[in-house]
Amino acid sequence: MPQDVYDKVIMLAKRRGFIYPSFEIYGGVAGLYDYGPLGSQLKNNLENLWRYFYIYKDSCLEINTPTITLYDVLEASGHVDEFTDLTVDCEDCKLSFKVEDIIEDESSIQQAIKDETLICPTCGGKLINPHPVNLMFATKIGIGKTRDAFLRPETAQGIFTGFHLLYRYAREKLPFGVIQLGKGYRNEVSPRQGPIRMREFSMAEAEVFFDPNNKSHKNFSEVKDHILYLYDNESEFQLTMEDAVSKGVINNQALSYYMYLTQTILIQGGVDPKKFRFRKHADDELAHYAEECWDAELFSERFGWVECVGIADRSAYDINAHIEASKTDMYAMRRYESPKIVKHKKIVPKMNILGPKLKDKAGDIKAIIDEMEVTGQIENLTIPFEGEEYLIPKDAYDVVEVEEKEAGEKFIPHVIEPSYGIDRILYCILEHNYKEIEKENESYHLLSLPYQMAPIKTGVFPLIKDESLTCISEKIDKTLREHGISTSYDETGTIGRRYARMDEIGTPFCITVDHDTLDDKKVTMRNRDTREQERIDIDALPDFFKKQK
RNA sequence: GCGGGUGUGGUGUAGUCUGGUAUCACUUAAGCUUGCCAAGCUUAUAACUCGGGUUCAAAUCCCGGCACCCGCACCA
């Protein structure tokens, strides 16, 4: 059976505890995977690398919001309408069927229902009531009296729904970014691409809020000469960030900056630069809310170019949707240099007269009067309320000219969203770093993971199982662990076998203690990629690892 | 979801047509050995995807479920 890199990587991943199908003893479930011990560490390392860039380089705020998300939120965001498949019901047996299973051309469903040509595949009854069924995982909150909810299809909505609080936390200044790492859920029709298409998956998302009039980025000038790897659906090319923006290839500095961050994170994380590019969405594939979108694509031998990160300018879409649906003030304020004084006329009702006259309606009518804009002369002031017109006599109000301060103008911030599929990136990193070499006529494989990504940083071995060597090795192992350096102690078999075990899981270094160590207090440090060895003082070991990148 | 293919220890496999208690290698573990790149020897652990049927007897034949792979569709 011919094996491609995918097969080999997946085999290794399962054998060595990186990633493997979930619940396999019960037959497994497509689209669900376990991260094993090494996989979990690898994932932590990628997520922490990502955090480093977004929190320390870009000053973003990290938050955590529930994966269970209220129906109303996802209705406002458009997911309830968009994540759907059409289904029909049987009039007799009440079963439901997906329209695409029943009829070839979904667009002709209405006509087919009218013609009564659709019959139930189970009982032969008439199929009626075509309606969309959502592909999000639905659930209910509470027992008895419940509220509808879904497992979130993206982490972003949790950020948007807290925007007004976060905006205050950021002291009402734009731009600022909010990040969230977490699980997302999609009940995929047919998740058949291994870790590339999962039903429960990890995402790292940033929502960076901008004034729509100013999508510049404060760090841009610092990094503007970096080259971006671009693809416009016709050819691949490279431009500096500055050129890309000034030539209009990339719409604004902010998009360009997050593309730069993305490229840097991925390549530092171990993505092969030759298997990396940004692809610009063509106009006809843009989501209806997006003004521009670039995908970071990673090349896989099995799957071709895989979309692993989407960097979209989502404009004001989401915040606007939540303002309208929830009636919450989520506007941002563009402050004037000094407050504007606006003069206008106002009606001030005399409540000592109106009160006794209007009785219980007085309060509501006052509220209406307070909201009225006054232009020109007022004659016969009448207020419509609960279907009746109430005449307010002239002696019951004054018209006064008031001055109001306006500190600024309200607007809906725009959102630039870099959204990372962690699992896809991890798979591609494994694939890109999987190396097969010939070694003494044997095929030998290793993972050339960058130091930062490697789940285990070093092996610690006594050259032979001799008590004088093992006790030093164990001590070195313990010391390194106390310094937060993950190690793997191994005293079994030959030294070559132990090196091989470490190479296969991407461990960049191995320390060997031999008899010379007893005299000179030095150990052999072996490099995974060069296989070179050097002698290092035992005392210098913690620093040696802390200097690695 | 449709059509086709596949499913055997931890991993990769032989055996399936032609039914009779499952082959080999690597890995793992214990021991001997071992002085820097998967050495060797001994021993041990360990598998027929699941359910039903046919049969004296099923990894093997039949039916169904599940998963994976390819194509189509779907999704982005």
Side-chain angles (χ1 to χ4, degrees):
Chain A
M1 193 182 287
Q3 294 178 341
D4 63 6
V5 191
Y6 174 84
D7 288 324
K8 292 174 180 171
V9 168
I10 290 296
M11 261 163 54
L12 185 146
K14 185 173 183 183
R15 194 158 39 82
R16 300 308 305 267
F18 282 97
I19 184 172
Y20 38 83
S22 299
F23 315 124
E24 215 178 12
I25 60 168
Y26 291 103
V29 182
L32 298 181
Y33 284 84
D34 289 3
Y35 279 90
L38 291 177
S40 297
Q41 284 306 318
L42 184 69
K43 182 162 173 277
N44 287 342
N45 292 345
L46 177 63
E47 290 178 344
N48 286 334
L49 178 67
W50 186 87
R51 276 195 179 92
Y52 170 77
F53 277 90
Y54 276 90
I55 297 179
Y56 295 105
K57 294 267 188 197
D58 196 43
S59 309
C60 287
L61 314 170
E62 180 171 4
I63 67 167
N64 272 283
T65 68
T67 56
I68 298 174
T69 302
L70 212 50
Y71 182 95
D72 312 55
V73 172
L74 292 159
E75 184 179 43
S77 69
H79 286 89
V80 171
D81 292 332
E82 282 175 33
F83 273 66
T84 55
D85 266 358
L86 260 190
T87 62
V88 284
D89 300 332
C90 174
E91 205 172 39
D92 299 330
C93 70
K94 307 298 178 198
L95 287 175
S96 293
F97 301 91
K98 276 171 83 170
V99 168
E100 65 183 60
D101 300 343
I102 305 266
I103 186 169
E104 275 186 18
D105 178 13
E106 260 189 45
S107 62
S108 65
I109 181 71
Q110 293 296 350
Q111 191 59 43
I113 295 277
K114 204 186 284 175
D115 298 346
E116 300 185 8
T117 54
L118 291 182
I119 53 156
C120 173
T122 306
C123 74
K126 200 170 30 158
L127 292 174
I128 52 164
N129 185 30
H131 61 284
V133 162
N134 205 274
L135 294 181
M136 292 188 287
F137 284 98
T139 186
K140 285 183 186 301
I141 301 172
I143 309 294
K145 190 181 178 225
T146 59
R147 296 186 77 181
D148 287 338
F150 298 102
L151 300 184
R152 66 184 177 195
E154 58 173 2
T155 69
Q157 295 307 323
I159 297 176
F160 296 137
T161 52
F163 174 76
H164 54 304
L165 300 174
L166 294 163
Y167 180 56
R168 239 187 121 67
Y169 177 86
R171 303 182 61 188
E172 306 189 4
K173 287 189 181 66
L174 293 180
F176 73 98
V178 181
I179 62 171
Q180 175 160 213
L181 287 133
K183 291 289 187 83
Y185 303 82
R186 293 182 55 178
N187 205 355
E188 294 284 354
V189 178
S190 147
R192 283 195 295 171
Q193 299 170 61
I196 298 299
R197 180 167 307 237
M198 286 161 60
R199 287 194 163 115
E200 172 173 332
F201 53 102
S202 287
M203 322 188 241
E205 294 192 300
E207 309 299 327
V208 191
F209 300 98
F210 284 88
D211 183 327
N213 293 344
N214 182 7
K215 291 181 184 172
S216 63
H217 195 286
K218 68 178 185 343
N219 296 347
F220 188 78
S221 60
E222 213 174 282
V223 295
K224 64 184 167 52
D225 296 325
H226 281 88
I227 299 280
L228 296 174
Y229 298 87
L230 305 173
Y231 174 68
D232 62 2
N233 295 308
E234 283 175 13
S235 59
E236 295 186 21
F237 55 99
Q238 301 180 4
L239 280 179
T240 65
M241 294 167 65
E242 186 171 39
D243 286 349
V245 174
S246 65
K247 288 178 181 167
V249 176
I250 298 172
N251 180 270
N252 57 64
Q253 283 189 6
L255 267 179
S256 173
Y257 180 75
Y258 291 104
M259 287 166 69
Y260 155 77
L261 269 196
T262 299
Q263 184 172 298
T264 309
I265 291 169
L266 294 180
I267 289 171
Q268 270 197 28
V271 165
D272 182 346
K274 292 192 288 297
K275 297 176 179 175
F276 172 92
R277 71 183 187 192
F278 283 113
R279 188 179 70 83
K280 187 175 193 168
H281 277 211
D283 289 345
D284 60 358
E285 66 179 316
L286 279 176
H288 59 285
Y289 53 76
E291 288 184 355
E292 182 166 327
C293 184
W294 288 86
D295 286 342
E297 298 186 324
L298 304 182
F299 187 77
S300 156
E301 303 291 329
R302 166 73 71 91
F303 304 110
W305 287 99
V306 178
E307 165 193 339
C308 291
V309 183
I311 305 171
D313 188 337
R314 292 181 77 143
S315 71
Y317 179 83
D318 297 276
I319 299 280
N320 183 56
H322 289 302
I323 288 174
E324 291 196 353
S326 72
K327 309 293 178 206
T328 302
D329 181 348
M330 288 185 152
Y331 294 94
M333 177 81 87
R334 197 177 288 130
R335 292 190 177 275
Y336 302 129
E337 295 216 350
S338 55
K340 274 186 192 168
I341 309 294
V342 181
K343 291 182 184 176
H344 57 98
K345 285 183 188 169
K346 227 184 145 181
I347 302 168
V348 179
K350 294 179 182 169
M351 294 312 288
N352 58 338
I353 299 173
L354 279 186
K357 196 175 156 97
L358 298 171
K359 302 249 162 56
D360 58 330
K361 297 184 180 71
D364 290 328
I365 288 173
K366 177 180 186 297
I368 293 170
I369 293 172
D370 288 343
E371 286 298 306
M372 287 175 70
E373 290 286 321
V374 180
T375 49
Q377 290 296 312
I378 296 171
E379 287 170 36
N380 295 330
L381 179 62
T382 56
I383 306 298
F385 179 68
E386 290 184 346
E388 286 187 50
E389 296 276 321
Y390 290 87
L391 180 69
I392 312 295
K394 269 204 156 54
D395 62 349
Y397 64 89
D398 289 323
V399 176
V400 297
E401 196 157 323
V402 294
E403 288 186 353
E404 279 189 2
K405 275 190 192 173
E406 281 183 14
E409 60 182 313
K410 285 180 164 184
F411 66 96
I412 301 175
H414 277 207
V415 177
I416 303 245
E417 178 199 67
S419 173
Y420 298 66
I422 294 290
D423 316 277
R424 289 182 170 193
I425 295 170
L426 284 174
Y427 169 73
C428 288
I429 286 175
L430 288 177
E431 191 187 300
H432 290 188
N433 288 281
Y434 179 82
K435 306 264 161 71
E436 241 172 37
I437 52 177
E438 256 324 281
K439 196 168 165 184
E440 286 164 25
N441 297 325
E442 247 186 309
S443 108
Y444 186 94
H445 29 258
L446 63 87
L447 283 180
S448 54
L449 296 174
Y451 180 84
Q452 274 180 299
M453 292 292 289
I456 307 282
K457 307 305 184 195
T458 184
V460 180
F461 312 143
L463 186 56
I464 57 165
K465 204 195 282 181
D466 173 322
E467 171 126 23
S468 63
L469 302 186
T470 56
C471 75
I472 297 179
S473 306
E474 279 166 358
K475 218 168 112 189
I476 291 174
D477 185 65
K478 185 162 174 274
T479 306
L480 290 177
R481 285 170 173 268
E482 281 165 0
H483 278 88
I485 296 153
S486 54
T487 62
S488 175
Y489 178 81
D490 193 351
E491 57 181 31
T492 64
T494 63
I495 193 73
R497 177 180 297 275
R498 287 177 268 168
Y499 287 155
R501 262 199 285 260
M502 289 293 106
D503 285 347
E504 197 180 41
I505 60 169
T507 305
F509 295 102
C510 291
I511 291 168
T512 305
V513 173
D514 57 27
H515 284 105
D516 293 340
T517 306
L518 299 173
D519 301 324
D520 65 5
K521 310 280 185 236
K522 287 175 193 284
V523 292
T524 303
M525 178 70 70
R526 180 258 194 187
N527 180 298
R528 175 194 65 204
D529 301 316
T530 64
R531 288 199 234 160
E532 279 165 9
Q533 306 191 349
E534 56 173 323
R535 298 287 285 178
I536 289 192
D537 283 332
I538 291 177
D539 293 342
L541 286 173
D543 282 344
F544 174 89
F545 289 107
K546 282 175 187 167
K547 274 188 290 189
Q548 297 300 323
K549 281 196 176 162

